[in-house]
């Protein structure tokens, strides 16, 4: 966990869909998750982008997220 | 009828809107509960009713159906798809199994009552207006916050063997990793029971649970929707074929 770029936080409340499993490798700018609106249909989700590459090490539960919730920890394998 | 759709249910093309149900309360004297709905129609053909969040803490169905509502194009179908990704919206918004408004479990409240509680009114509208228009109903469930399942699609053993065969065929078409001939602990008041009573083809699921979803379980939901296009008569030239020809059966 080299710096703050490991952490992603929620900037839109909604229903979170993870696009990677814990343990999956994620490239920088690849989306570990996207957030769907919960009050209407027909609106695309907001995609969350990784600020660094690494391994998806922690994620949020349960299925709804609020503003500011922790979304993901992307840690770096060093050995 | 106390529930009114804000969009036409029988128009061609794509319409996104709400089922509007008046809900007078301290915070909003003339307020409403708004249940999101999308209707996609093209030509004349069968109607599929696809529902998620009958229980508000189950997420594979809502995610897969929210996606379907933005990607499905009319020219991919012949007929109509009615999508309610968050059928029990009050419970979904609260992240709870039952409605925070009246404490009711939607899936024990069918066929509902026109003069009942909010959940009963919503059930009544769905049972008396939407289900009669449907040829096939797919109701997504998962384990919610207190259960966790092997991912399966399910159908019930029915007295009408032709109807049962149609339901089992839909279950197999969904092609989840497991397929279950499902025995209910308490079938009274279930959406399943009401849809089957009306003679419709009904398939349900249990996909994961523990109050969340995973890429794997959402992918099962997404693929199941595509696979169901065939038995309900819809045409999608891009529909991937079943990848698991021999799902395991239980029941």
């Amino acid at each position: 966990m080299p710096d703050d770029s490991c952490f992603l936080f929620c900037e839109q409340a909604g229903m979170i869909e993870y696009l990677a499993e814990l343990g999956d490798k994620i490239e920088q700018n690849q989306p570990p998750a996207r957030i769907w609106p919960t009050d209407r249909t027909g609106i695309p989700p907001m995609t969350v982008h990784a600020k660094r590459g690494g391994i998806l090490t922690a994620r949020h539960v349960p299925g709804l997220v609020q503003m500011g919730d922790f979304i993901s920890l992307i840690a770096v394998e060093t050995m | 009828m106390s529930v009114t759709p804000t969009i036409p249910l029988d128009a061609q093309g794509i319409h996104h809107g709400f089922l509007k149900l008046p809900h007078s309360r301290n915070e909003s004297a003339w307020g409403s509960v708004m249940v999101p709905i999308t209707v996609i129609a093209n030509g004349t053909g069968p109607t599929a009713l696809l529902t998620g969040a009958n229980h508000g803490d189950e997420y594979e169905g809502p995610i897969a159906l929210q996606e379907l509502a933005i990607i499905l194009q009319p020219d991919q179908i012949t007929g109509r798809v009615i999508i309610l990704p968050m059928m029990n919206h009050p419970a979904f918004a609260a992240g709870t199994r039952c409605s925070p408004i009246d404490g009711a479990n939607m899936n024990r409240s069918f066929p509902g009552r026109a003069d009942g509680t909010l959940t009963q009114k919503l059930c009544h509208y769905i049972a008396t207006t939407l289900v009669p228009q449907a040829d096939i109903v797919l109701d997504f469930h998962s384990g919610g916050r207190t259960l966790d399942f092997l991912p399966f699609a399910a159908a019930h053993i029915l007295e009408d063997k032709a109807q049962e065969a149609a339901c089992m065929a839909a279950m197999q078409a969904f092609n989840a990793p497991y397929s279950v001939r499902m025995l209910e602990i308490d079938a009274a008041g279930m959406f399943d029971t009401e849809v089957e009573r009306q003679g419709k083809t009904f398939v349900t699921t249990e996909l994961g649970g523990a109050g969340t979803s995973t890429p794997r379980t959402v992918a099962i939901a997404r693929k199941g929707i595509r696979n169901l296009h065939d038995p309900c008569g819809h045409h999608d030239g891009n529909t991937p074929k079943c990848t698991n020809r021999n799902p395991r059966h239980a029941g």
Side-chain angles (χ1 to χ4, degrees):
Chain A
M1 295 172 60
D3 56 42
D4 282 353
S5 67
C6 294
F7 305 111
L8 291 176
F9 295 91
C10 189
E11 297 181 3
Q12 176 178 306
M15 172 171 59
I16 191 159
E17 175 189 6
Y18 280 92
L19 303 173
E21 306 268 6
L22 290 177
D24 284 352
K25 287 188 176 176
I26 294 177
E27 304 294 329
Q28 186 175 14
N29 293 321
Q30 184 185 344
R34 51 186 188 169
I35 298 169
W36 291 92
T38 57
D39 62 346
R40 64 195 60 238
T41 56
I43 305 294
M46 188 190 83
T47 301
V48 179
H49 296 280
K51 290 188 286 188
R52 68 171 313 120
I55 295 172
L56 184 61
T57 306
R59 51 158 280 183
H60 170 94
V61 293
L64 299 183
V65 288
Q66 307 299 322
M67 282 291 281
D69 280 356
F70 166 82
I71 291 177
S72 68
L73 165 62
I74 299 172
V76 179
E77 201 169 19
T78 57
M79 294 182 66
Chain B
M1 181 62 68
S2 57
V3 176
T4 52
T6 65
I7 55 170
L9 300 180
D10 55 358
Q12 299 288 298
I14 303 173
H15 292 85
H16 305 292
F18 302 92
L19 301 178
K20 178 176 170 293
L21 172 57
H23 177 40
S24 178
R25 57 200 190 276
N26 289 334
E27 298 79 15
S28 185
W30 286 6
S32 296
V33 163
M34 306 288 274
V35 179
I37 183 172
T38 290
V39 180
I40 301 171
N42 181 46
T44 301
T47 292
L49 174 60
L50 311 179
T51 55
N54 179 332
H55 292 132
D57 59 351
E58 304 172 4
Y59 297 102
E60 284 82 359
I63 290 170
L65 293 175
Q66 278 285 53
E67 181 180 66
L68 184 71
I70 62 169
I71 65 173
L72 185 63
Q73 297 300 309
D75 63 6
Q76 294 176 293
I77 62 171
T78 302
R80 178 173 54 163
V81 180
I82 301 174
I83 307 170
L84 290 169
M86 298 146 303
M87 177 163 67
N88 187 357
H89 192 262
F92 177 80
T96 56
R97 177 177 180 84
C98 299
S99 173
I101 294 175
D102 56 16
N105 179 343
M106 174 175 267
N107 215 27
R108 301 293 184 275
S109 302
F110 280 93
R113 293 173 58 101
D115 62 350
T117 68
L118 189 135
T119 300
Q120 289 172 327
K121 287 177 180 174
L122 191 53
C123 288
H124 181 262
Y125 177 83
I126 293 165
T128 60
T129 301
L130 298 186
V131 174
Q133 299 183 41
D135 297 282
I136 183 169
V137 178
L138 167 61
D139 185 38
F140 276 105
H141 286 261
S142 299
R145 289 197 293 191
T146 67
L147 293 172
D148 200 7
F149 284 96
L150 276 175
F152 66 79
H156 298 105
I157 295 171
L158 302 172
E159 287 186 15
D160 182 334
K161 292 305 171 187
Q163 183 187 11
E164 177 187 305
C167 296
M168 295 293 174
M171 170 190 76
Q172 295 198 340
F174 187 99
N175 200 30
Y178 291 80
S179 297
V180 174
R181 295 182 180 86
M182 195 169 186
L183 175 66
E184 299 293 346
I185 295 170
D186 177 15
M190 291 183 70
F191 187 40
D192 318 41
T193 306
E194 175 59 21
V195 174
E196 289 161 355
R197 187 193 66 76
Q198 295 189 32
K200 310 296 186 180
T201 300
F202 181 83
V203 60
T204 187
T205 70
E206 297 288 0
L207 306 173
T212 189
S213 65
T214 67
R216 174 173 172 260
T217 54
V218 172
I220 293 167
R222 188 178 286 132
K223 181 166 72 79
I225 293 169
R226 290 197 302 263
N227 289 342
L228 265 186
H229 280 190
D230 288 338
C232 65
H234 296 132
H235 169 70
D236 176 355
N238 297 317
T239 299
K241 297 305 177 189
C242 303
T243 55
N244 179 3
R245 290 288 179 191
N246 297 296
R248 285 160 283 189
H249 291 259

